Amino acid sequence: MIYLTGDVHHAYRRNLEQRYSDKSEVQLALEYAVIAEKHGLKATLFCTGKTVEQEPDKMRELASRANVELGGHTYSAFESIPKEVKYLLGKIWGCSYGPRFIQERDISKTISAMKKIDVDISSWRTHAFSSNNVTQTLLADKGIMVLSDYINRKQTKPYKKNNLIHLPINTIVDHDSLLHAHVTEGSGPVGSQNNPGGLSAGEYLNILCAQVKEINEQKGDAVILCHPMCMHTLDGFDTFRLLCDYLSQYDSLFAREAIIHG
Ligand SMILES: [Zn+2]
Ligand SMILES: [Zn+2]
C-alpha cells in the first residue's frame, strides 16, 4: 500500500524555489495529479489556505479530480513571520507554529478557505512539520482526522494518538535530498540518515523505490512526500513520471482513508 502526498504553497516572495518556475504550485499540482491519474494513483495534496484566495478556479479544478484529496497545510506557510521570530517561537513554545491562539486562528482560517471551494478537509500536514501536541488537539477538535507530519522511517503503519490517525512520512523526502532548483551542492539542507543531501534524480529515485518496496514487503504502508514544485524544477516531471510508473504496481490510498485502513 502507498500514500502519495505532496505539499502545495501559494505564491509568496520568500519562497526561493518558486523563482525557478513560471507556473504556480497550484498549476503544477494539476499537472502532477494528471500524471498520477494516468498511472492509476491517488494523491493527497496538502495546500495552504491562501492557494484558494489566489487561485480559486484552479483549486476548484484540483478538488474536483477523482484521484485527488485536498488537505490543509497552514493558511500562509508562515510567510510573514521573520526567521528570527520563528526561531524564538520554537525556543519558547518548542514549536515554530507558535502558541495555541495563533495555531487555532491559523487552522480555522485554513478550514474556512477550503470551505469556499466546498472542500471539507479531513487531513493535515503542518508546513515545515511544525506541529506539536497543541496542534494535534486543536486539529482533532476541529474535525481533522488524519495528520501526516514528521519523518519517521521506522513507522510503517498508521497509528492513533491525540484522537488523530498519524501517517508519518517514512520515505526519503525530495526537497531535502535532491539537487534541484536553488538546492545545489553545499546549499541544501544538511543530509541526515533519513534524507541524505546532494542526490541526483536517479539516486533519489532508486532510494525511494527501494524504500517503497521494502516497506511493502514488510506489509507496511509507504508514505511518500513528493512536491509538485520540486518535481517540476528537477526535470519537468520526468522523474515523477518514472516514480508513478514504479508506484503503479501498488494500491494507493488517500490520507483520509487511513481512518479505515489504519
Ligand atoms: Zn510546506
Ligand atoms: Zn524543492
Side-chain angles (χ1 to χ4, degrees):
M1 202 70 73
I2 61 148
Y3 294 86
L4 174 63
T5 74
D7 302 345
V8 181
H9 310 90
H10 60 286
Y12 62 103
R13 201 171 48 81
R14 290 222 324 263
N15 189 318
L16 292 176
E17 190 159 358
Q18 288 177 355
R19 294 174 198 173
Y20 288 76
S21 172
D22 52 5
K23 293 178 186 162
S24 71
E25 294 197 25
V26 174
Q27 178 61 49
L28 295 173
L30 276 164
E31 294 179 21
Y32 178 107
V34 169
I35 297 167
E37 189 186 37
K38 278 189 184 140
H39 293 86
L41 297 169
K42 294 175 178 175
T44 303
L45 295 165
F46 298 98
C47 305
T48 57
K50 271 199 159 183
T51 56
V52 177
E53 317 290 352
Q54 287 183 352
E55 296 177 85
D57 295 341
K58 286 208 177 77
M59 283 300 289
R60 264 182 211 284
E61 195 183 332
L62 196 57
S64 72
R65 297 195 60 87
N67 72 321
V68 168
E69 174 190 359
L70 296 187
H73 191 57
T74 73
Y75 183 73
S76 63
F78 319 125
E79 65 175 334
S80 56
I81 306 174
K83 230 173 32 206
E84 300 73 24
V85 177
K86 246 190 103 179
Y87 174 78
L88 273 179
L89 287 172
K91 276 271 172 208
I92 299 167
W93 279 279
C95 172
S96 49
Y97 204 0
R100 174 179 286 268
F101 79 95
I102 288 184
Q103 293 194 22
E104 173 152 33
R105 199 178 52 187
D106 183 84
I107 295 165
S108 294
K109 271 176 86 176
T110 310
I111 291 172
S112 305
M114 291 296 173
K115 276 200 198 302
K116 287 184 190 166
I117 52 165
D118 304 312
V119 172
D120 281 313
I121 56 170
S122 318
S123 310
W124 183 273
R125 175 177 294 143
T126 310
H127 175 66
F129 310 129
S130 315
S131 58
N132 60 1
N133 279 324
V134 171
T135 324
Q136 294 178 19
T137 316
L138 286 169
L139 288 170
D141 285 352
K142 290 178 188 297
I144 303 293
M145 292 182 276
V146 175
L147 178 68
S148 181
D149 240 333
Y150 324 116
I151 298 167
N152 187 346
R153 281 279 293 130
K154 294 198 179 74
Q155 191 67 47
T156 55
K157 274 285 171 194
Y159 64 95
K160 210 169 176 180
K161 193 188 150 206
N162 288 342
N163 291 322
L164 292 169
I165 302 286
H166 291 254
L167 206 57
I169 297 145
N170 53 24
T171 52
I172 188 169
V173 175
D174 53 358
H175 185 73
D176 300 345
S177 55
L178 268 172
L179 294 175
H180 69 296
H182 63 296
V183 186
T184 53
E185 205 76 66
S187 76
V190 180
S192 67
Q193 203 192 345
N194 286 328
N195 287 304
L199 299 182
S200 69
E203 289 167 328
Y204 160 79
L205 190 61
N206 281 341
I207 292 173
L208 178 52
C209 293
Q211 289 175 338
V212 169
K213 182 168 184 259
E214 189 193 333
I215 291 168
N216 275 277
E217 279 171 357
Q218 296 165 0
K219 306 274 174 249
D221 302 330
V223 183
I224 300 157
L225 166 53
C226 200
H227 297 77
M229 179 55 97
C230 301
M231 290 294 104
H232 167 71
T233 58
L234 176 67
D235 54 14
F237 291 117
D238 285 349
T239 297
F240 184 64
R241 282 189 195 90
L242 293 172
L243 173 64
C244 288
D245 193 37
Y246 178 79
L247 296 178
S248 64
Q249 64 185 296
Y250 299 105
D251 286 332
S252 62
L253 290 176
F254 291 130
R256 64 167 184 254
E257 292 178 295
I259 302 158
I260 308 154
H261 180 70

Short mmCIF file of all heavy atoms in Angstrom, two decimals, residues 7-9 12 15 25 46 48 73-74 77 125-129 227, ligand 1:
data_model
loop_
_atom_site.label_atom_id
_atom_site.label_comp_id
_atom_site.label_asym_id
_atom_site.label_seq_id
_atom_site.Cartn_x
_atom_site.Cartn_y
_atom_site.Cartn_z
N ASP A 7 2.94 18.70 -1.04
CA ASP A 7 2.57 19.96 -0.40
C ASP A 7 2.51 21.06 -1.48
O ASP A 7 3.37 21.11 -2.35
CB ASP A 7 3.59 20.36 0.66
CG ASP A 7 3.73 19.29 1.75
OD1 ASP A 7 2.86 18.41 1.83
OD2 ASP A 7 4.72 19.34 2.50
N VAL A 8 1.49 21.90 -1.36
CA VAL A 8 1.26 22.93 -2.37
C VAL A 8 1.13 24.29 -1.68
O VAL A 8 0.28 24.47 -0.82
CB VAL A 8 -0.03 22.62 -3.18
CG1 VAL A 8 -0.27 23.67 -4.25
CG2 VAL A 8 0.05 21.22 -3.79
N HIS A 9 2.00 25.22 -2.07
CA HIS A 9 2.02 26.54 -1.44
C HIS A 9 1.51 27.61 -2.39
O HIS A 9 1.70 27.52 -3.60
CB HIS A 9 3.45 26.89 -1.01
CG HIS A 9 4.12 25.79 -0.22
ND1 HIS A 9 4.86 24.80 -0.81
CD2 HIS A 9 4.11 25.52 1.09
CE1 HIS A 9 5.29 23.96 0.13
NE2 HIS A 9 4.86 24.38 1.29
N TYR A 12 4.47 33.26 -2.76
CA TYR A 12 4.92 34.27 -1.80
C TYR A 12 6.39 34.56 -1.99
O TYR A 12 7.16 33.72 -2.45
CB TYR A 12 4.59 33.89 -0.36
CG TYR A 12 5.20 32.62 0.21
CD1 TYR A 12 6.29 32.68 1.07
CD2 TYR A 12 4.66 31.37 -0.09
CE1 TYR A 12 6.82 31.51 1.63
CE2 TYR A 12 5.19 30.22 0.45
CZ TYR A 12 6.27 30.29 1.31
OH TYR A 12 6.79 29.15 1.84
N ASN A 15 9.60 32.48 -0.90
CA ASN A 15 9.79 31.12 -1.38
C ASN A 15 10.80 31.10 -2.53
O ASN A 15 10.51 31.50 -3.65
CB ASN A 15 8.44 30.54 -1.84
CG ASN A 15 8.55 29.06 -2.16
OD1 ASN A 15 9.50 28.60 -2.77
ND2 ASN A 15 7.54 28.32 -1.74
N GLU A 25 2.38 26.83 -8.01
CA GLU A 25 2.38 25.48 -7.44
C GLU A 25 1.03 24.80 -7.65
O GLU A 25 0.95 23.58 -7.79
CB GLU A 25 2.75 25.52 -5.95
CG GLU A 25 4.17 25.97 -5.73
CD GLU A 25 4.71 25.66 -4.34
OE1 GLU A 25 4.24 24.71 -3.68
OE2 GLU A 25 5.63 26.37 -3.90
N PHE A 46 -1.60 18.58 0.21
CA PHE A 46 -1.78 19.47 1.36
C PHE A 46 -1.51 20.90 0.88
O PHE A 46 -0.39 21.22 0.48
CB PHE A 46 -0.83 19.08 2.49
CG PHE A 46 -1.08 17.68 3.02
CD1 PHE A 46 -0.32 16.61 2.59
CD2 PHE A 46 -2.10 17.45 3.93
CE1 PHE A 46 -0.55 15.33 3.07
CE2 PHE A 46 -2.35 16.17 4.42
CZ PHE A 46 -1.56 15.10 3.98
N THR A 48 -1.91 25.23 1.21
CA THR A 48 -2.12 26.36 2.12
C THR A 48 -3.48 27.00 1.81
O THR A 48 -3.95 26.95 0.67
CB THR A 48 -1.01 27.44 1.94
OG1 THR A 48 -0.99 27.88 0.59
CG2 THR A 48 0.35 26.91 2.33
N HIS A 73 -2.50 22.79 4.92
CA HIS A 73 -1.04 22.92 5.07
C HIS A 73 -0.71 24.28 5.68
O HIS A 73 0.20 24.96 5.22
CB HIS A 73 -0.39 22.74 3.69
CG HIS A 73 1.11 22.58 3.73
ND1 HIS A 73 1.74 21.61 4.44
CD2 HIS A 73 2.11 23.28 3.11
CE1 HIS A 73 3.06 21.70 4.28
NE2 HIS A 73 3.30 22.72 3.48
N THR A 74 -1.47 24.69 6.68
CA THR A 74 -1.48 26.03 7.29
C THR A 74 -2.06 27.05 6.30
O THR A 74 -2.19 26.75 5.11
CB THR A 74 -0.09 26.54 7.76
OG1 THR A 74 0.71 26.91 6.63
CG2 THR A 74 0.63 25.51 8.63
N ALA A 77 1.75 29.34 5.35
CA ALA A 77 3.10 28.79 5.43
C ALA A 77 4.07 29.75 6.14
O ALA A 77 5.23 29.84 5.80
CB ALA A 77 3.64 28.41 4.04
N ARG A 125 -1.19 18.50 7.09
CA ARG A 125 0.26 18.46 7.34
C ARG A 125 0.69 19.89 7.61
O ARG A 125 0.41 20.79 6.80
CB ARG A 125 1.01 17.89 6.12
CG ARG A 125 2.55 17.97 6.31
CD ARG A 125 3.30 17.35 5.14
NE ARG A 125 3.07 15.92 5.06
CZ ARG A 125 2.95 15.25 3.90
NH1 ARG A 125 3.04 15.88 2.75
NH2 ARG A 125 2.72 13.95 3.91
N THR A 126 1.33 20.13 8.73
CA THR A 126 1.78 21.48 9.05
C THR A 126 2.99 21.81 8.18
O THR A 126 3.87 20.97 8.01
CB THR A 126 2.15 21.59 10.53
OG1 THR A 126 1.07 21.06 11.30
CG2 THR A 126 2.37 23.03 10.94
N HIS A 127 3.02 23.02 7.65
CA HIS A 127 4.18 23.45 6.85
C HIS A 127 5.45 23.29 7.68
O HIS A 127 5.48 23.64 8.86
CB HIS A 127 3.99 24.90 6.41
CG HIS A 127 5.16 25.47 5.68
ND1 HIS A 127 5.56 25.01 4.44
CD2 HIS A 127 6.03 26.46 6.02
CE1 HIS A 127 6.62 25.70 4.05
NE2 HIS A 127 6.93 26.57 4.99
N ALA A 128 6.49 22.76 7.07
CA ALA A 128 7.78 22.55 7.74
C ALA A 128 7.67 21.65 8.98
O ALA A 128 8.47 21.76 9.90
CB ALA A 128 8.44 23.89 8.10
N PHE A 129 6.68 20.78 8.96
CA PHE A 129 6.48 19.80 10.06
C PHE A 129 6.50 20.47 11.43
O PHE A 129 7.14 19.99 12.36
CB PHE A 129 7.57 18.71 10.03
CG PHE A 129 7.79 18.08 8.68
CD1 PHE A 129 9.06 17.98 8.14
CD2 PHE A 129 6.72 17.56 7.96
CE1 PHE A 129 9.26 17.38 6.89
CE2 PHE A 129 6.91 16.95 6.72
CZ PHE A 129 8.18 16.87 6.18
N HIS A 227 6.92 16.74 -3.79
CA HIS A 227 6.28 18.04 -4.06
C HIS A 227 6.11 18.29 -5.57
O HIS A 227 7.08 18.11 -6.32
CB HIS A 227 7.14 19.17 -3.54
CG HIS A 227 7.34 19.19 -2.06
ND1 HIS A 227 8.21 18.35 -1.40
CD2 HIS A 227 6.80 19.99 -1.11
CE1 HIS A 227 8.19 18.63 -0.10
NE2 HIS A 227 7.35 19.61 0.10
ZN ZN B 1 5.22 23.42 3.13
#
